[in-house]
Amino acid sequence: KITVQLFCPHSCSDFSTILINGARTDVPQLTRIHDPVPQDECYDGSGYYLNEHDHPRQCSWLNGSSDPADAITRRERNCGTSVEYPDATDLGKMCKNTCGTCRY
């Protein structure tokens, strides 16, 4: 049985100290594979996010209707830009570029 315990130094920048079966070992700092997207970046996520009906959709769905009025309605209900729907859904929060809600 191997016991691993991670100790992060104050900077957490270069190395971490771990204990493997009680022996301290310095290892290079691990890089996170997926960091959350900051809320102020102009970004469209590549995954599926819940729309106003709690259905998983991709950002392209916001503009993907053959009816332009339907595409406008999708953005109004998900992007948090209308008076009737002031709060963005998960889809709207992760599709800032498509929604046009980027902050520069």
Side-chain angles (χ1 to χ4, degrees):
K1 180 178 176 182
I2 296 175
T3 303
V4 177
Q5 187 175 2
L6 178 67
F7 295 94
C8 185
H10 294 292
S11 69
C12 281
S13 60
D14 296 324
F15 288 90
S16 293
T17 300
I18 62 171
L19 286 180
I20 299 177
N21 291 331
R24 293 176 83 88
T25 304
D26 288 334
V27 294
Q29 183 67 29
L30 301 175
T31 303
R32 294 180 70 182
I33 294 173
H34 178 69
D35 288 324
V37 177
Q39 291 295 317
D40 59 348
E41 281 195 30
C42 192
Y43 181 86
D44 276 352
S46 60
Y48 288 82
Y49 311 100
L50 297 180
N51 70 1
E52 80 277 16
H53 298 295
D54 290 330
H55 296 147
R57 302 285 188 219
Q58 291 183 300
C59 296
S60 59
W61 177 82
L62 291 167
N63 287 328
S65 176
S66 59
D67 179 1
D70 188 38
I72 291 169
T73 301
R74 289 178 180 185
R75 288 191 304 277
E76 286 176 348
R77 292 183 178 178
N78 289 280
C79 295
T81 56
S82 73
V83 174
E84 287 185 61
Y85 300 92
D87 298 321
T89 61
D90 289 346
L91 179 66
K93 290 176 185 174
M94 293 304 294
C95 303
K96 290 188 173 288
N97 188 44
T98 298
C99 283
T101 55
C102 302
R103 296 181 206 160
Y104 294 102

